[in-house]
Amino acid sequence: MNRMEYDNAIRKQVFWLPAFCEEQLQVCFGPELKGLMSMAEIFDARKVILTGCGASYAAAMAMAPVIEKYCDCFGVETMRMVEFTRFLSGADIGIGEPNSPLVIVISERGDEARVCEALMKADRLGAFPILLTGNPTAVAGKDAKRVYVTGTEAIRKRAFGLCSYFGSLVGLIAFASRMGHVRGTLPPFGPAQFKETIRSYVERFGERLEQIDRQIFELAWKWRDLTRFDLIGDDVEYGSAFFGAAKLLQCAGCAVSVDDSEDWCHINYFIGCPEKVGTIVLADKNQPSFGRIRETVGSAVRIGRQVLVVTNADAGVFEAGAEVCTIPDVPEGFGWMLPLLDYIPAALLAGYLSAFGGSSRSAGGEEDRTDNSKIEIYI
């Protein structure tokens, strides 16, 4: 079979990533980041809240650890947008110091009603609301104290869906490096080192793309009749699993669930007709739970699941019968960077299943707008 006959928007964006990475780095680590917050405002932040919907929420989960590692504050909390807007009370948000907490609202388009609502609520409570967006003309920008634009209009027009997610991830890493530089948890050369490490890692990943794409295309053809998928990831890998599940649902119309390795063994293990459930496991060999992840893979294979493992480990450490897609490992000391690209195999799978006729939706197309939803501020 000719893969190019089933080329799709997701696949195109995957292969764009190495080429447009440099432009993304120049934007995210550029002068706008340095001017986003004054040094005094950065020191004011005693707590950080990250919130978003869909892929933006996945980005928040994936990159919260790097922000927490370098922000030198009393914690970083990741919240679903509706949880922040409708259920977080003023008494619980932690108001008391000026410009704190720092609330980063992530939205690629920046024009959804809930995004505006989150920024307005944060401002009314006295927090410091920042909109992180890939859209230079985001409507919600008027409701933010500051707007951090992580892309250009040229990038946005050609790369909405997967590359925009990559942009959010790079933006959050760059923001972490800025906070770390100012607050002394990173040396002066820290941001430049982050930038170079991202550049190098994307380049190394790009060298493997052809092999990864070929493997996932062949697997997608075998799995073309599957309509149910389980995605499993621990800690930051949960964010990547969440994003992969979203792509499978949006692009191919599949029923999906997301879990961690421990909970999966207690709950989703018992789903009926296991041979009809595609199971994708993101397995970081450096995670403390790697042993449990291996047990989970073994359990899934033995009950008849069709399993794909995306990992930086050797294929031989997993139960025979699992398909193993090996991705490049990140440099030592940068373990938090694996979610920058580890979702790519699942995204490619979603694109190919869509191209095989799994959904009437266009792979990577925009979802229905939610910009007219009623805005209500709950304090």
Side-chain angles (χ1 to χ4, degrees):
M1 294 177 62
N2 185 354
R3 274 180 292 157
M4 294 311 299
E5 292 180 5
Y6 298 97
D7 195 17
N8 55 82
I10 288 291
R11 183 183 183 276
K12 284 183 172 69
Q13 290 186 50
V14 166
F15 278 86
W16 279 338
L17 276 179
F20 104 139
C21 175
E22 187 60 35
E23 183 177 356
Q24 191 75 67
L25 288 172
Q26 295 308 318
V27 173
C28 291
F29 284 84
E32 182 176 325
L33 175 62
K34 190 171 182 179
L36 185 65
M37 299 176 70
S38 69
M39 292 180 68
E41 289 168 340
I42 290 176
F43 276 112
D44 280 343
R46 308 288 284 171
K47 176 182 177 181
V48 179
I49 296 176
L50 305 175
T51 185
C53 292
S56 295
Y57 177 61
M61 289 190 288
M63 289 301 155
V66 66
I67 294 178
E68 185 161 26
K69 183 174 182 178
Y70 295 109
C71 75
D72 185 34
C73 64
F74 293 130
V76 175
E77 187 173 0
T78 303
M79 303 185 71
R80 296 177 186 271
M81 190 80 76
V82 71
E83 181 184 359
F84 177 82
T85 58
R86 301 301 175 94
F87 297 100
L88 182 67
S89 69
D92 295 330
I93 198 172
I95 295 296
E97 299 84 13
N99 298 322
S100 186
L102 172 62
V103 178
I104 302 177
V105 180
I106 308 163
S107 173
E108 166 57 25
R109 293 201 312 255
D111 59 3
E112 301 92 340
R114 208 60 58 232
V115 172
C116 297
E117 185 175 293
L119 293 164
M120 292 167 65
K121 177 173 180 176
D123 183 65
R124 190 172 299 182
L125 286 169
F128 195 104
I130 291 179
L131 173 64
L132 187 151
T133 181
N135 182 5
T137 59
V139 173
K142 69 183 189 311
D143 300 310
K145 181 166 283 191
R146 305 285 159 75
V147 179
Y148 179 24
V149 180
T150 60
T152 64
E153 192 61 27
I155 290 176
R156 188 167 184 268
K157 283 183 177 179
R158 74 183 184 186
F160 185 87
L162 185 134
C163 289
S164 57
Y165 179 68
F166 176 81
S168 295
L169 297 175
V170 174
L172 289 168
I173 293 172
F175 188 86
S177 76
R178 173 61 179 163
M179 290 197 75
H181 185 201
V182 171
R183 300 186 73 145
T185 58
L186 275 176
F189 58 83
Q193 184 184 36
F194 276 27
K195 188 176 175 180
E196 179 54 37
T197 303
I198 292 172
R199 181 185 291 120
S200 175
Y201 184 58
V202 171
E203 182 178 342
R204 287 194 297 115
F205 205 103
E207 294 170 356
R208 294 287 305 278
L209 273 181
E210 185 65 28
Q211 179 183 343
I212 291 171
D213 182 53
R214 186 183 305 110
Q215 180 182 10
I216 298 302
F217 173 76
E218 293 173 358
L219 181 67
W221 184 252
K222 294 177 185 176
W223 285 11
R224 65 188 181 277
D225 294 325
L226 296 181
T227 58
R228 295 188 293 164
F229 287 88
D230 247 350
L231 287 93
I232 302 167
D234 291 354
D235 196 47
V236 295
E237 300 296 281
Y238 189 92
S240 297
F242 188 97
F243 180 76
K247 292 298 107 180
L248 283 163
L249 176 56
Q250 292 170 339
C251 298
C254 302
V256 297
S257 63
V258 186
D259 216 334
D260 60 54
S261 61
E262 183 65 29
D263 205 49
W264 184 89
C265 292
H266 291 275
I267 305 296
N268 283 17
Y269 173 91
F270 298 100
I271 291 176
C273 303
E275 72 282 357
K276 296 182 179 180
V277 184
T279 305
I280 302 172
V281 184
L282 286 90
D284 178 4
K285 68 179 182 181
N286 299 311
Q287 284 185 333
S289 66
F290 185 62
R292 185 52 160 161
I293 292 170
R294 291 174 59 195
E295 291 176 352
T296 300
V297 171
S299 295
V301 169
R302 287 191 294 273
I303 63 174
R305 291 284 191 99
Q306 301 188 61
V307 180
L308 168 65
V309 182
V310 179
T311 185
N312 53 358
D314 293 333
V317 304
F318 298 100
E319 185 93 5
E323 179 84 18
V324 180
C325 178
T326 303
I327 61 174
D329 198 7
V330 293
E332 186 177 355
F334 289 85
W336 46 263
M337 195 179 285
L338 199 65
L340 187 66
L341 294 170
D342 63 359
Y343 52 85
I344 280 180
L348 284 170
L349 179 66
Y352 279 126
L353 290 178
S354 177
F356 293 155
S359 174
S360 60
R361 291 174 181 253
S362 171
E366 294 192 36
E367 65 271 24
D368 290 338
R369 298 280 182 164
T370 55
D371 49 314
N372 293 325
S373 181
K374 184 179 179 181
I375 293 176
E376 301 177 70
I377 307 299
Y378 287 85
I379 304 297

